Amino acid sequence: MAEAVVSFVLERVGDFATQEAKFLSGVSHQVEVAQTELQLMQGFLKDADARQGQDATVQVWVAKTRDAAYDLEDVIETYGLKVASKKKRGIKNILRRFACIFREGVDLRKIGLEIENITAKISNLRLSLQSYNIARVPTEVGGESFLQLHERQRLLRRTYSHVIERDVVGLEYNVEELVMHLVKDENRHRVVSIWGMGGLGKTTLARQVYHHKNVRQHFHSFAWVCVSQRCEIRNVWEGIFIKLISATKEQRQDIKEMTYDEIAKKLFCVMQEMRCLVILDDVWSIETWNFLNVAFPNEKTESTILLTTRYEAVALPPNRNCFLHKLQPLNENESLALLEKIAIFGRPDIDSGIYSKMRELGRKLLRHCAGLPLAIIVLAGVLSTKNTIKQWEMVNENVYAYIRRGRGHEQEYEGASWVLALSYDDLPYHLKPCFLYLGHYPEDREISVSTLTKLWMAEGLISLRQQRHSLEETMENIAHNCLTELVERCVVQVGRSGSTGTIKTCQIHDLIRDLCLLKAEEESFLQIGYSLQENKATNPVTSSMVAKGTPVGKIRRLAIYLDENADRLVSSRDETNGHVRSLLYFVLGEWRPRSEKVLLSPLTDFKVLRVLKVEDVDEVEVELPSEIGNMVHLRFLSVRDSKIKRFPSSLGNLICLQTLDFRVRYVELFIPNVIWKMKQLRHLYLPRRYTASGNLKLSTLGHLQTLDFLSSEYCDLKDVAGLTNLLKLQIRLSLPLENLEEILKSVGSTLNRIQSLLVYNGYYSVRNTSYEEQGNQIVSSCRRIYKLKLDGPTAELPKELHNYPNLTKLELCSCSLMDDQMGILEKLPNLTTLLLISEVFEENTKTLAFSKGSFPSLQFLSVFRMDEITEWRVEEGAMPSLWRLRIGFCSGLTTLPDGLTYLTNLKELTIFGMPRELHSRIQEDGEDFCKIQHVPSVVIGEPYDPPMH
């Protein structure tokens, strides 16, 4: 991956030298010489990267080159930022000025010498190329750069798309057999096991069964949990129990406070009294099963456990009423069908001759996949980027090289391993570090795409030189394109998609994560540490690592997993921390350290840290030390959902920050007026409730795209005029705004560019018409929004809302709209998503009516916690495009509308937390079953029993 590192470093150093030339004037010559040496070396790095897995000496050479490039960037940027900081502070005293000039002269010579030493290392490495027989690879292919060629291939493939879960071949018989065993009433099995090796499709099969219509109609309640190697038994029980009872926020808190025995007993009773299906995905050991089994009833139960595992001892232990389903590899025809589905079908202008040759080469390649779906899917992902027969033949030749490389390591290269290694090496250089970054995340963790792309940007892994479609394409767009490419290459799986089809979360298969960690170790890209215990005084860089063996090169990134043994956040001082660029914490289960407060110190050791992520630490107060202001390289700082009370004013020194996320829990945070200094900020997330001394100055944040939450009490709406790149705004009206019409005129051009808007009226208890009118005035100034959320009292919607050309998603929460406002809503021509949450209409509105011709484009409707509604009517011709409907916790609804039968395009229906009377009516023998029997996928959760008063 030296090619990627050197390319990114060259770009960043070049940009920094251009933008901050006045701060590098004393060392500009040394910087230019260093850049030239890296440029001369650049053409040889592709060959070096390709050969380092075969030659240990080449691997050492690559590591030294990579470290030299990183060190060069660190030295140049550190010096530039230091000089910039001094210039901005200024020197008033003449004697101090002379002393400062003298020190700067000493610093200048020292930095110049450091740059020269690094340049000499790079030069010596370049001169040693001949002894390693490393060849220069041209960066142009037939007049096109590799990036341009890759983009052309990607656009050709855009005519079709594939999602791994849809590429299901050869599972039909397996699904039917398992469904039969799950729904039969006589001689039922308490446990059904799916057993097979990694990559065989166990989870895919379980998911097909889980969503099968017959299974959904047979069981009353469902839960799916992933059982990782280091899982805590209590956390697994909690996850199952919460899902089976569709727990409310209050119930979740009660469950959290239960003892180990109480949670086990509660879960046991629920599964004994109800007909539940519980999926335990990827159970690793018989010990784990034995611990979990304590909370599962053995007899007198209609509940069933469906588990997936790689181990026969887990799948079929003695003394258990169990059905074992051994999943078999795909046969030759099934393997070819799966490969064709991804790699061949959908190609434009493919003639029969090319098709036949691709099929022939595909058959040859499939001989090495052993019928493993994961191997076939990943291989197909590689082939889908190749558009000529010659390119397919080159892949075929490379396969034999990978197989030969694995000889003597058969265990390592069996099954999917060889094709996974091939798929990694086939990635363009700019995607390799993006892929390796996924290795930070714990096994089976659902990854937020929004956070991931911001992390990539903070690390400098995203380049504006990757712009493809227009010069206005942002780094965020480019980052999302990179993720899409990884999905299209089948190395990343889509988790959750948003209502507009954007990828919200993603995941990686555990075998692909193993590859990620293996390659990350080879490249010294990251290491993972577990427990940090005071009595052991261990350093995360050297202790409890997943990666085996000694890394070649300096470790630049750390992911620390906080489990039950950890009692602090940062280890004792260690000089090796000085090279670390990323420090990411992940809480495994419930982390409860002994101390009531933990200090993120000594952070001063992390001198070039760019990323600090301390999220979900909510069991103990985390204190940010004032020294954090010395970490001037920081681009990403997040303490989201952690318990933080203090925002040190020294954070104003972090002038390179791109993302600041202070959405803390439980506390009203005091925020000093220093954010205005962070002029590179692109995404600012403030807590919903905070205080400040006077107004927070924000007008200097010209790069800001996301502002969440702007408080009318502690911010000046006029500052929005300076936020010329703002796309997403969340505003909290906690005080009336004076002269709002004049303010809106001054900020109108900015507001008219906003794509997503949330207006939150902070006071629900007292209806204030001035807030409501001002909220509507703000909405009326944002006519190009795609998404709108109104939270809090809003008697009337803006009358011109139907003229908003881009409005596709609308969320209304606790608005208490007048009854006639439905007439405005139903005429919105482009609305595809509508979320109605908690008292959307005024209290005396008892009927929710969808008239003929209403909501012509609506595809997704969610009705949640609307307790005031007792009747729901859907007329024929209403919502003709609706395909997804979700209904939950509407205590006044005891029957479904007859008009659901008119929704012929409805594909997914989810019902949860509704009164028991409604739940009984939608069973197979119930009065309302005929209204939903045409829907292919029906998910019914646990009914809700309101508390007794």
Side-chain angles (χ1 to χ4, degrees):
M1 204 181 62
E3 181 187 17
V5 172
V6 169
S7 298
F8 286 136
V9 166
L10 271 171
E11 179 183 338
R12 291 194 295 264
V13 169
D15 290 345
F16 190 81
T18 301
Q19 296 165 9
E20 310 293 345
K22 57 187 175 181
F23 301 132
L24 296 176
S25 57
V27 293
S28 58
H29 174 68
Q30 289 95 324
V31 172
E32 287 176 11
V33 173
Q35 286 178 282
T36 301
E37 282 293 340
L38 283 178
Q39 288 165 349
L40 290 171
M41 180 183 283
Q42 201 171 10
F44 297 90
L45 296 176
K46 187 180 291 291
D47 185 44
D49 277 338
R51 290 178 49 199
Q52 65 171 325
Q54 307 165 44
D55 190 330
T57 56
V58 174
Q59 184 180 9
V60 172
W61 184 92
V62 167
K64 288 181 177 180
T65 302
R66 188 175 57 235
D67 282 343
Y70 274 136
D71 290 343
L72 178 68
E73 181 186 14
D74 289 342
V75 168
I76 293 173
E77 187 174 285
T78 299
Y79 176 72
L81 290 173
K82 186 176 181 181
V83 173
S85 177
K86 287 181 179 178
K87 299 270 187 188
K88 287 175 182 176
R89 286 201 300 267
I91 303 292
K92 293 182 180 179
N93 185 285
I94 294 178
L95 291 175
R96 287 175 60 199
R97 185 181 300 172
F98 279 116
C100 182
I101 291 171
F102 175 76
R103 282 196 303 272
E104 283 186 8
V106 173
D107 287 344
L108 199 61
R109 286 193 295 274
K110 182 180 176 183
I111 295 300
L113 188 59
E114 281 191 61
I115 295 173
E116 288 173 1
N117 288 338
I118 295 171
T119 304
K121 287 181 185 177
I122 296 170
S123 180
N124 291 333
L125 287 165
R126 181 173 60 83
L127 293 173
S128 66
L129 283 167
Q130 288 184 342
S131 61
Y132 296 109
N133 295 319
I134 296 173
R136 183 180 182 87
V137 178
T139 57
E140 300 288 322
V141 180
E144 289 182 302
S145 71
F146 280 113
L147 193 60
Q148 290 169 331
L149 179 63
H150 174 69
E151 171 61 8
R152 184 167 60 82
Q153 294 170 342
R154 192 179 72 86
L155 290 174
L156 284 172
R157 291 160 47 224
R158 276 296 195 190
T159 53
Y160 67 96
S161 64
H162 55 271
V163 178
I164 290 176
E165 282 301 307
R166 294 178 184 174
D167 296 325
V168 176
V169 172
L171 288 183
E172 296 82 0
Y173 166 76
N174 298 274
V175 171
E176 293 304 319
E177 182 181 39
L178 286 168
V179 169
M180 179 188 70
H181 281 279
L182 287 174
V183 303
K184 68 180 183 180
D185 293 321
E186 297 181 0
N187 301 318
R188 295 179 61 258
H189 295 98
R190 189 178 72 94
V191 179
V192 174
S193 299
I194 303 174
W195 168 45
M197 68 182 296
L200 204 50
K202 301 182 296 296
T203 300
T204 300
L205 174 58
R207 193 171 285 119
Q208 295 284 318
V209 172
Y210 186 68
H211 292 291
H212 196 279
K213 187 174 182 178
N214 293 348
V215 170
R216 286 285 157 180
Q217 292 173 353
H218 181 77
F219 291 96
H220 303 151
S221 197
F222 301 84
W224 178 300
V225 291
C226 295
V227 186
S228 64
Q229 283 179 281
R230 296 176 61 87
C231 69
E232 291 185 33
I233 301 303
R234 178 195 168 90
N235 292 334
V236 176
W237 286 343
E238 276 190 23
I240 297 171
F241 188 46
I242 286 170
K243 290 172 183 175
L244 289 182
I245 68 170
S246 300
T248 63
K249 184 177 180 180
E250 295 77 14
Q251 288 174 319
R252 286 170 182 260
Q253 187 58 39
D254 292 340
I255 293 168
K256 197 173 184 180
E257 294 171 0
M258 290 180 186
T259 65
Y260 189 93
D261 290 339
E262 286 173 339
I263 187 72
K265 187 175 180 181
K266 289 277 188 182
L267 178 56
F268 186 98
C269 292
V270 167
M271 292 185 66
Q272 194 167 49
E273 293 169 2
M274 297 167 48
R275 186 185 292 172
C276 307
L277 176 62
V278 175
I279 310 289
L280 301 177
D281 189 31
D282 207 12
V283 182
W284 277 79
S285 69
I286 190 66
E287 290 79 10
T288 299
W289 164 256
N290 288 337
F291 280 124
L292 289 171
N293 193 35
V294 174
F296 304 148
N298 284 314
E299 51 189 32
K300 296 181 180 178
T301 178
E302 294 186 59
S303 294
T304 301
I305 307 289
L306 174 64
L307 65 85
T308 72
T309 183
R310 301 182 191 183
Y311 305 102
E312 186 177 14
V314 177
L316 195 58
N319 304 319
R320 192 169 79 191
N321 178 18
C322 176
F323 170 74
L324 172 64
H325 181 86
K326 184 178 180 181
L327 191 56
Q328 300 293 335
L330 301 181
N331 61 36
E332 185 178 345
N333 291 334
E334 291 168 340
S335 298
L336 184 60
L338 181 55
L339 183 132
E340 285 183 321
K341 202 172 186 182
I342 301 170
I344 300 179
F345 292 157
R347 289 177 178 267
D349 305 324
I350 182 172
D351 60 35
S352 58
I354 293 176
Y355 173 71
S356 298
K357 289 178 181 177
M358 284 183 170
R359 272 177 58 95
E360 182 184 348
L361 284 167
R363 286 186 185 277
K364 290 181 180 179
L365 289 163
L366 287 170
R367 293 172 190 165
H368 307 290
C369 290
L372 278 179
L374 178 65
I376 297 167
I377 287 169
V378 174
L379 173 64
V382 172
L383 292 173
S384 68
T385 68
K386 315 300 179 187
N387 295 304
T388 67
I389 297 299
K390 185 176 180 180
Q391 289 174 327
W392 278 53
E393 288 171 342
M394 287 177 65
V395 173
N396 189 37
E397 292 171 10
N398 286 336
V399 163
Y400 288 99
Y402 278 87
I403 298 297
R404 284 195 301 273
R405 188 188 303 178
R407 284 178 185 162
H409 305 276
E410 283 75 13
Q411 187 67 29
E412 180 184 344
Y413 279 84
E414 70 174 358
S417 296
W418 69 268
V419 74
L420 296 182
L422 170 64
S423 68
Y424 172 77
D425 288 346
D426 189 67
L427 290 175
Y429 78 82
H430 68 280
L431 287 183
K432 287 181 178 177
C434 295
F435 171 70
L436 293 186
Y437 214 89
L438 296 166
H440 283 88
Y441 289 84
E443 185 181 354
D444 297 324
R445 183 66 59 100
E446 200 164 4
I447 301 168
S448 163
V449 169
S450 174
T451 300
L452 177 65
T453 51
K454 292 178 179 67
L455 290 169
W456 284 349
M457 289 163 49
E459 281 272 9
L461 306 182
I462 303 301
S463 164
L464 284 175
R465 287 171 173 76
Q466 295 167 246
Q467 285 174 328
R468 298 184 178 115
H469 305 298
S470 84
L471 293 176
E472 295 181 1
E473 199 170 24
T474 65
M475 285 203 296
E476 287 78 6
N477 297 141
I478 296 168
H480 278 272
N481 288 339
C482 288
L483 178 71
T484 301
E485 289 180 58
L486 291 172
V487 169
E488 290 172 344
R489 287 172 172 269
C490 301
V491 293
V492 172
Q493 300 171 341
V494 175
R496 255 187 324 108
S497 294
S499 56
T500 58
T502 54
I503 304 173
K504 293 294 185 181
T505 65
C506 64
Q507 295 170 294
I508 53 174
H509 191 280
D510 51 3
L511 288 184
I512 292 180
R513 182 174 180 270
D514 291 343
L515 169 76
C516 216
L517 293 177
L518 179 67
K519 292 295 180 182
E521 178 192 8
E522 290 177 1
E523 304 282 358
S524 298
F525 187 84
L526 73 91
Q527 279 196 333
I528 297 174
Y530 284 97
S531 305
L532 293 176
Q533 299 180 44
E534 189 172 0
N535 58 347
K536 292 186 179 179
T538 53
N539 186 345
V541 178
T542 57
S543 66
S544 302
M545 291 301 163
V546 169
K548 298 177 181 178
T550 303
V552 181
K554 300 171 184 175
I555 298 301
R556 304 282 172 174
R557 297 164 188 86
L558 287 177
I560 299 178
Y561 295 174
L562 299 171
D563 59 14
E564 67 276 8
N565 297 315
D567 55 25
R568 55 196 174 131
L569 287 177
V570 180
S571 69
S572 57
R573 293 178 180 272
D574 193 286
E575 61 180 10
T576 56
N577 292 339
H579 308 299
V580 174
R581 292 181 165 218
S582 284
L583 185 58
L584 282 72
Y585 291 92
F586 296 93
V587 177
L588 304 184
E590 291 185 13
W591 177 53
R592 294 186 175 94
R594 301 188 199 108
S595 172
E596 293 183 0
K597 180 186 291 187
V598 293
L599 183 67
L600 269 172
S601 180
L603 283 174
T604 49
D605 292 341
F606 298 88
K607 297 175 183 177
V608 295
L609 201 66
R610 291 166 175 252
V611 169
L612 178 60
K613 178 175 172 289
V614 191
E615 297 181 350
D616 301 309
V617 181
D618 59 353
E619 293 294 332
V620 63
E621 182 184 338
V622 178
E623 184 174 333
L624 290 177
S626 59
E627 290 82 7
I628 196 172
N630 298 327
M631 301 167 67
V632 293
H633 294 267
L634 268 182
R635 267 79 167 171
F636 180 100
L637 173 60
S638 176
V639 290
R640 182 176 182 177
D641 290 332
S642 292
K643 192 182 288 186
I644 302 261
K645 293 184 178 179
R646 182 170 171 262
F647 188 125
S649 59
S650 63
L651 284 175
N653 298 334
L654 306 182
I655 59 174
C656 293
L657 267 182
Q658 298 172 355
T659 299
L660 177 61
D661 193 338
F662 259 80
R663 287 175 287 185
V664 297
R665 283 192 177 187
Y666 311 124
V667 294
E668 188 171 72
L669 192 70
F670 175 79
I671 300 177
N673 196 0
V674 297
I675 296 176
W676 65 272
K677 299 179 182 180
M678 307 172 186
K679 296 179 182 179
Q680 299 303 314
L681 266 183
R682 303 172 74 88
H683 305 281
L684 174 59
Y685 301 94
L686 298 174
R688 181 167 287 200
R689 296 187 180 277
Y690 57 88
T691 62
S693 54
N695 283 338
L696 293 176
K697 183 180 177 183
L698 302 173
S699 60
T700 58
L701 309 180
H703 295 286
L704 201 67
Q705 296 182 23
T706 304
L707 176 53
D708 172 3
F709 265 93
L710 184 149
S711 166
S712 63
E713 186 173 359
Y714 297 109
C715 299
D716 190 343
L717 188 58
K718 292 178 184 177
D719 285 354
V720 172
L723 312 183
T724 53
N725 286 291
L726 195 65
L727 299 175
K728 181 178 180 181
L729 173 64
Q730 298 194 10
I731 182 169
R732 179 173 179 261
L733 295 174
S734 47
L735 282 179
L737 294 163
E738 297 181 4
N739 303 316
L740 182 59
E741 288 187 15
E742 294 180 17
I743 294 173
L744 291 176
K745 287 179 182 177
S746 67
V747 301
S749 60
T750 298
L751 293 180
N752 206 32
R753 285 192 295 268
I754 286 175
Q755 297 178 1
S756 176
L757 175 67
L758 184 156
V759 179
Y760 171 64
N761 181 350
Y763 294 95
Y764 291 107
S765 55
V766 180
R767 186 139 206 168
N768 190 315
T769 54
S770 63
Y771 288 146
E772 298 176 31
E773 291 171 2
Q774 292 194 341
N776 277 347
Q777 283 180 278
I778 293 170
V779 174
S780 297
S781 300
C782 305
R783 291 179 173 267
R784 296 188 181 181
I785 49 177
Y786 289 80
K787 299 178 183 179
L788 172 63
K789 179 176 180 179
L790 300 177
D791 192 342
T794 309
E796 295 186 4
L797 296 167
K799 292 182 173 58
E800 66 276 11
L801 204 59
H802 66 280
N803 290 326
Y804 285 32
N806 303 323
L807 185 60
T808 56
K809 181 175 181 178
L810 178 61
E811 183 174 345
L812 302 173
C813 179
S814 304
C815 292
S816 298
L817 291 170
M818 294 172 62
D819 191 33
D820 62 355
Q821 295 301 293
M822 194 63 164
I824 294 178
L825 287 174
E826 65 183 14
K827 290 182 174 63
L828 297 177
N830 302 313
L831 195 68
T832 60
T833 300
L834 177 62
L835 310 176
L836 305 176
I837 304 170
S838 182
E839 299 178 12
V840 173
F841 297 96
E842 54 190 355
E843 193 173 351
N844 60 358
T845 301
K846 302 298 181 183
T847 302
L848 184 63
F850 291 79
S851 60
K852 181 178 181 179
S854 63
F855 299 100
S857 303
L858 196 66
Q859 298 175 14
F860 174 41
L861 171 65
S862 175
V863 182
F864 184 72
R865 289 197 177 280
M866 291 185 64
D867 297 327
E868 69 276 16
I869 299 299
T870 57
E871 183 185 4
W872 185 5
R873 294 201 306 267
V874 177
E875 296 181 5
E876 186 175 4
M879 303 181 286
S881 303
L882 194 74
W883 66 270
R884 185 179 171 206
L885 173 62
R886 183 175 66 191
I887 313 163
F889 290 102
C890 299
S891 60
L893 277 178
T894 57
T895 181
L896 291 178
D898 295 337
L900 287 187
T901 56
Y902 301 135
L903 304 178
T904 55
N905 288 313
L906 192 61
K907 299 293 186 294
E908 296 180 13
L909 172 62
T910 304
I911 300 173
F912 58 97
M914 298 295 284
R916 287 194 176 273
E917 182 179 348
L918 185 144
H919 276 258
S920 65
R921 291 174 66 97
I922 58 178
Q923 301 304 314
E924 282 192 63
D925 55 350
E927 298 170 61
D928 283 3
F929 180 72
C930 61
K931 302 175 185 178
I932 62 172
Q933 63 180 352
H934 66 291
V935 183
S937 175
V938 178
V939 177
I940 302 174
E942 174 69 8
Y944 174 64
D945 294 315
M948 301 294 291
H949 295 290

